[in-house]
Amino acid sequence: MADLSNPFSGYSVDDIDAAQRFYGDVLGLETRPVNGLLWLRLGTGAEVLLYPKGPAHRPAEYTVLNFRVADVPGTVAELRDRGVTFEHYRGTPTETDEDGVFRGGGPLIAWFTDPAGNVLSIVADD
């Protein structure tokens, strides 16, 4: 019987070095480059694989990685101080406030992108 009990997720980026700086230096994740790929180690121990596609990369149009946090507005402020820009979805069902935080029902959530344009979020750990 096939053992499929150790899955991992992955997505593409256009520049592995820029991804390593962003995920490692800005977001503070443990990163591990291996053979031109980049592994991210999450706080849960799970890993995510980032693989280079160069000019063929197309950013994901959906959220590829969510970070659960206790304080969304506080985390937005801290990440903004580190140079992260948050998305503003004005006039949409997920409209965000001036800080980039969705407060329209459900958990607080704020979206931002990595250097390759992939969508990430911080979401309230309720």
Side-chain angles (χ1 to χ4, degrees):
M1 174 78 82
D3 181 1
L4 304 178
S5 63
N6 193 21
F8 64 88
S9 181
Y11 51 92
S12 73
V13 296
D14 55 354
D15 182 333
I16 288 291
D17 293 332
Q20 185 170 11
R21 286 189 301 274
F22 179 76
Y23 286 96
D25 298 341
V26 177
L27 299 185
L29 297 178
E30 180 183 334
T31 62
R32 183 171 47 95
V34 177
N35 297 322
L37 306 171
L38 184 65
W39 286 97
L40 308 177
R41 178 169 296 275
L42 307 178
T44 62
E47 292 186 308
V48 175
L49 177 65
L50 304 187
Y51 53 92
K53 284 188 79 177
H57 168 74
R58 296 293 174 261
E61 295 180 2
Y62 50 87
T63 308
V64 296
L65 192 58
N66 300 282
F67 297 92
R68 284 186 285 231
V69 300
D71 177 9
V72 170
T75 303
V76 166
E78 182 179 334
L79 290 177
R80 186 172 284 123
D81 287 346
R82 295 185 202 175
V84 174
T85 301
F86 285 84
E87 299 296 304
H88 292 277
Y89 298 123
R90 292 187 175 91
T92 70
T94 54
E95 185 162 350
T96 54
D97 66 14
E98 63 279 352
D99 290 325
V101 178
F102 171 70
R103 300 172 189 268
L108 297 182
I109 188 166
W111 294 272
F112 59 104
T113 61
D114 71 4
N118 295 308
V119 180
L120 313 173
S121 82
I122 55 173
V123 61
D125 188 15
D126 291 323

